[in-house]
Amino acid sequence: LIRCPECRFERQIDENAIPANAAMATCPHCQYRFRFRNPDGTPVADETPAAAPAPQTAPAEIGEHTSE
């Protein structure tokens, strides 16, 4: 599985179809060029940070009313 770090487009590619010396890819969706394989042949780790958790909101005080 190769995933574009820019737009997150991903595609499953047969490893045998990728030349052994290939390390860069161009995303067919956004045209971003990125490294998908390190010089030692290992896959590049996905460095995209995980989504931040939703902010917590404090519950409203019971009995708190505003009057006009």
Side-chain angles (χ1 to χ4, degrees):
L1 180 69
I2 294 180
R3 180 179 299 128
C4 174
E6 186 71 18
C7 73
R8 308 303 290 162
F9 177 81
E10 57 186 37
R11 180 170 287 167
Q12 189 74 32
I13 299 177
D14 181 8
E15 195 170 326
N16 296 323
I18 303 171
N21 62 344
M24 297 293 289
T26 301
C27 176
H29 183 73
C30 71
Q31 304 305 308
Y32 182 75
R33 284 189 44 83
F34 61 97
R35 179 175 298 278
F36 69 92
R37 186 183 288 158
N38 292 314
D40 64 1
T42 59
V44 173
D46 188 357
E47 296 175 3
T48 304
Q56 297 288 328
T57 56
E61 293 286 326
I62 297 176
E64 182 179 331
H65 297 284
T66 57
S67 57
E68 294 181 28

